[in-house]
Amino acid sequence: MSAFVERLQRQHLATVKPYVSARRSASGGTVWLNANEAPTTPAASTQEQWFRYPDFQNTALNQAYADYAGVTREQILSCRGSDEAIELLIRSFCEPGQDAVMITTPTYGMYAISAATHGAQVVDCPLQAAEDGSLQLATEAMITRCLDRTQAKIKLIFICSPSNPLGNMVKTRALERLLDAVGNEALVILDQAYIEFVDSNHPQFDSAALLARYPQLVVLRTLSKAFGRAGLRCGFAIAAPEIIAVLSKVIAPYPLPSPTISEATHGLSCEAIMVMQQQLQRIAEQRERLIAALQQRAWVKKIWPSTTNFVLVNVADAQSLVQRCQQQGVLIRDQSSQPGLPQCIRISIGSADDITRLLEVLPA
């Protein structure tokens, strides 16, 4: 294990031996009598049989995602969505009451919630306005705080790119500056839940190249967004094998159900990826259609640039707008509680019919 990973992990984990489940300790065979399973699934509703425990880490699924992401299978940990990966990182590297995580508001709320429920401190370095009008990393402030020896040790830095709720990308040069300066003092977590919506030529799309340059980087991915499989709860942590080994000490013995493994693996087939990419194009078309229509509405103050499947909009009265839509069966989300985003709503991009109905409901 790399010295910096051994140093950053919670110290008691150095001697912890993870629970070795039946699936983790032995594979192969035709007669499985090592896990106290039933011999069949009585009265199953389908032809599927559910009496076997799933794999700890399914080889086919992890290899399929490794191939898709351009990394090795040893760099992959599949888990119950990105949310579980966030929990695992905090549980593995942050000592309760001692260590801290860094977030950059406005950002995805689960970083702070997961840290708080575990007893880790939360250090916020809010995004700052850039020359192009977007909100970007306050890189130098982040570096200064991360290297400050007089305050709680920051073990994890969470960066959401593409941003939720903003919809834009963190500037790659700023990200690289942060990684270079922080070095092995902390892990930098790059949450790429919406990466498929980004142009494939963007440097952050090639997370494999970033991982090769920065061993302290962890990338989070999911099948919930572009792959359209939110109900499966399947996500991935991608990192150096020694980081994956630490997370593997903490994750549950059977993290993904068998139906999730089966459908997720199918979703990563060449044919399914091609269909997914076709849907991405349709979503982009509907996003631009929505933006063009919103630009004609007087109550719209600002439309934030988006590379994702949602649009953040600054409006005159967010609460009344959300209520108006809800009363007519259309649900959008009020983001006004997010730091720095007063009177902002977030609209997901649905089907063409969904957008048509939304535009009918919105005030002229």
Side-chain angles (χ1 to χ4, degrees), residues 8-330:
L8 290 177
Q9 73 172 331
R10 293 179 62 186
Q11 291 308 298
H12 78 280
L13 288 181
T15 58
V16 166
K17 295 187 180 299
Y19 176 77
V20 181
S21 66
R23 291 293 170 271
R24 199 169 178 177
S25 63
S27 60
T30 57
V31 179
W32 294 2
L33 302 176
N34 63 338
N36 301 339
E37 301 158 320
T40 62
T41 303
S45 60
T46 69
Q47 293 184 349
E48 298 289 340
Q49 293 289 292
W50 309 117
F51 61 95
R52 296 294 185 198
Y53 285 109
D55 294 329
F56 167 66
Q57 290 290 299
N58 184 265
T59 300
L61 173 60
N62 286 10
Q63 187 63 61
Y65 201 84
D67 292 343
Y68 171 73
V71 298
T72 67
R73 182 160 53 86
E74 291 71 27
Q75 293 176 275
I76 296 285
L77 185 79
S78 50
C79 43
R80 289 166 288 197
S82 298
D83 288 334
E84 184 179 36
I86 294 166
E87 291 273 349
L88 291 172
L89 285 158
I90 295 170
R91 289 166 56 199
S92 299
F93 290 97
C94 292
E95 299 286 355
Q98 298 181 32
D99 297 328
V101 307
M102 178 180 285
I103 63 172
T104 60
T105 57
T107 192
Y108 182 47
M110 284 307 298
Y111 311 140
I113 291 173
S114 293
T117 56
H118 181 66
Q121 297 182 44
V122 178
V123 175
D124 184 14
C125 280
L127 299 175
Q128 61 184 10
E131 292 181 358
D132 62 3
S134 66
L135 293 179
Q136 292 291 333
L137 299 178
T139 312
E140 298 310 314
M142 295 173 70
I143 294 168
T144 298
R145 175 58 186 87
C146 189
L147 300 181
D148 187 345
R149 305 297 188 189
T150 67
Q151 302 186 55
K153 169 67 176 176
I154 291 174
K155 290 286 193 70
L156 306 173
I157 303 172
F158 286 98
I159 297 173
C160 194
S161 182
S163 168
N164 175 16
L166 298 177
N168 67 314
M169 295 290 287
V170 164
K171 292 186 182 300
T172 303
R173 184 173 297 178
L175 174 63
E176 293 173 337
R177 163 72 179 136
L178 177 69
L179 285 160
D180 287 330
V182 170
N184 60 16
E185 292 300 312
L187 299 183
V188 176
I189 319 303
L190 185 61
D191 188 342
Q192 293 188 329
Y194 298 89
I195 193 64
E196 279 79 18
F197 297 96
V198 176
D199 189 311
S200 60
N201 292 319
H202 194 286
Q204 288 179 45
F205 194 92
D206 187 3
S207 57
L210 284 173
L211 287 161
R213 291 171 57 194
Y214 299 106
Q216 75 275 38
L217 180 65
V218 179
V219 174
L220 304 185
R221 296 281 194 88
T222 183
L223 299 188
S224 294
K225 309 302 180 183
F227 283 87
R229 287 166 168 80
L232 291 184
R233 306 309 302 128
C234 182
F236 303 91
I238 315 175
E242 53 262 43
I243 296 176
I244 297 299
V246 174
L247 300 180
S248 296
K249 295 181 180 182
V250 180
I251 196 170
Y254 306 106
L256 295 183
S258 295
T260 292
I261 292 171
S262 177
E263 178 57 30
T265 305
H266 168 72
L268 289 164
S269 66
C270 293
E271 180 181 0
I273 290 173
M274 182 178 65
V275 174
M276 177 269 287
Q277 292 169 337
Q278 292 170 350
Q279 177 161 280
L280 291 181
Q281 180 60 40
R282 293 193 294 271
I283 290 172
E285 291 170 357
Q286 293 306 313
R287 182 186 66 214
E288 298 313 306
R289 174 194 172 199
L290 174 62
I291 290 173
L294 290 175
Q295 288 171 337
Q296 308 304 314
R297 312 288 170 114
W299 44 267
V300 172
K301 296 183 176 182
K302 177 179 180 178
I303 302 172
W304 296 77
S306 175
T307 60
T308 62
N309 67 335
F310 61 84
V311 177
L312 184 72
V313 188
N314 182 218
V315 299
D317 188 340
Q319 184 177 14
S320 64
L321 190 66
V322 170
Q323 290 176 346
R324 174 193 176 105
C325 292
Q326 184 175 3
Q327 289 167 357
Q328 300 187 62
V330 177

Side-chain angles (χ1 to χ4, degrees), residues 344-355:
C344 283
I345 60 170
R346 192 187 69 191
I347 304 172
S348 301
I349 307 302
S351 67
D353 289 344
D354 293 335
I355 300 303

